[in-house]
Amino acid sequence: MEKIKSFTVNHLTLVPGIYESRRDPVGNSVVVTYDIRLIKPNISPVLGNPELHTIEHLGATFLRNHPVYKDRIIYFGPMGCRTGLYLLISGDMMNEQLFVLVKDMFAFISTYDQEIPGTQAIECGNYRDHNLEKARKVAGNFLNDLYMIEDTSLTYPE
Ligand SMILES: [Zn+2]
């Protein structure tokens, strides 16, 4: 079988940031997959599943309630390697708009202090596996990284 494109990205030079991973035409539109890379792969310790799970619940809640983009959100969920999350959006977006959206989402997560949505046994497949304190910390650190990024091209480094 052919190696899929995302495995050809050089994970040794990757730094935290937002990257456009794929564009898939669907009907008359396009679904764009963004990699939200929270930590440096294979160097920084990977994220624990509880904090990643909490980021998933809070991020999905934020995105699916967003006044402008809620109807264009296809998916938000963790990478199996536990270094980030995937965000799939229907239709094209300006890079700057995407950066604002992701910054707003991580600002929301980094200051969230209420009950995590979807954490009753009936609502989630592993409802005890959450860590809000760590999720807030991870989100705050990533937000700081985002504010340092000047290159908003969304392209992976060589
Ligand atoms: Zn869950």
Side-chain angles (χ1 to χ4, degrees), residues 53 56-57 118 124-126 130:
H53 189 192
E56 179 195 22
H57 277 228
C124 172
N126 194 2
H130 281 278

Side-chain angles (χ1 to χ4, degrees), residues 13 15 32 49 52 57 62-63 72 76 82 96 102 111 114 129-130 133 136 138 147 150 158:
T13 54
V15 292
V32 187
N49 197 67
L52 204 50
H57 277 228
F62 173 86
L63 293 165
R72 294 175 53 187
F76 179 67
R82 292 193 272 137
E96 287 70 24
V102 175
T111 57
Q114 294 163 53
D129 197 30
H130 281 278
E133 195 186 322
R136 285 175 52 139
V138 169
Y147 279 112
E150 285 168 13
E158 294 296 313

Side-chain angles (χ1 to χ4, degrees), residues 138-153:
V138 169
N141 289 342
F142 183 60
L143 201 53
N144 288 337
D145 288 335
L146 286 181
Y147 279 112
M148 302 296 286
I149 293 173
E150 285 168 13
D151 176 7
T152 58
S153 65

Side-chain angles (χ1 to χ4, degrees), residues 15-145:
V15 292
I18 308 170
Y19 303 97
E20 186 183 292
S21 171
R22 0 177 355 114
R23 306 173 59 80
D24 294 290
V26 180
N28 296 324
S29 188
V30 62
V31 172
V32 187
T33 300
Y34 299 101
D35 290 356
I36 315 287
R37 190 71 65 165
L38 299 185
I39 57 171
K40 190 164 170 42
N42 301 315
I43 304 281
S44 307
V46 292
L47 302 167
N49 197 67
E51 50 267 36
L52 204 50
H53 189 192
T54 300
I55 290 171
E56 179 195 22
H57 277 228
L58 291 177
T61 299
F62 173 86
L63 293 165
R64 297 196 185 283
N65 282 283
H66 196 278
V68 178
Y69 299 110
K70 63 179 177 184
D71 294 332
R72 294 175 53 187
I73 304 302
I74 304 294
Y75 174 75
F76 179 67
M79 296 175 178
C81 60
R82 292 193 272 137
T83 64
L85 300 104
Y86 300 110
L87 171 59
L88 275 69
I89 297 184
S90 166
D92 273 305
M93 239 172 122
M94 303 279 287
N95 294 0
E96 287 70 24
Q97 291 176 325
L98 180 74
F99 265 84
V100 170
L101 178 66
V102 175
K103 278 177 189 161
D104 287 350
M105 170 168 65
F106 280 91
F108 170 78
I109 297 168
S110 71
T111 57
Y112 190 82
D113 62 357
Q114 294 163 53
E115 192 181 329
I116 303 165
T119 48
Q120 305 296 316
I122 198 170
E123 300 169 320
C124 172
N126 194 2
Y127 75 102
R128 294 186 192 90
D129 197 30
H130 281 278
N131 189 324
L132 179 58
E133 195 186 322
K134 280 193 181 167
R136 285 175 52 139
K137 206 168 167 219
V138 169
N141 289 342
F142 183 60
L143 201 53
N144 288 337
D145 288 335

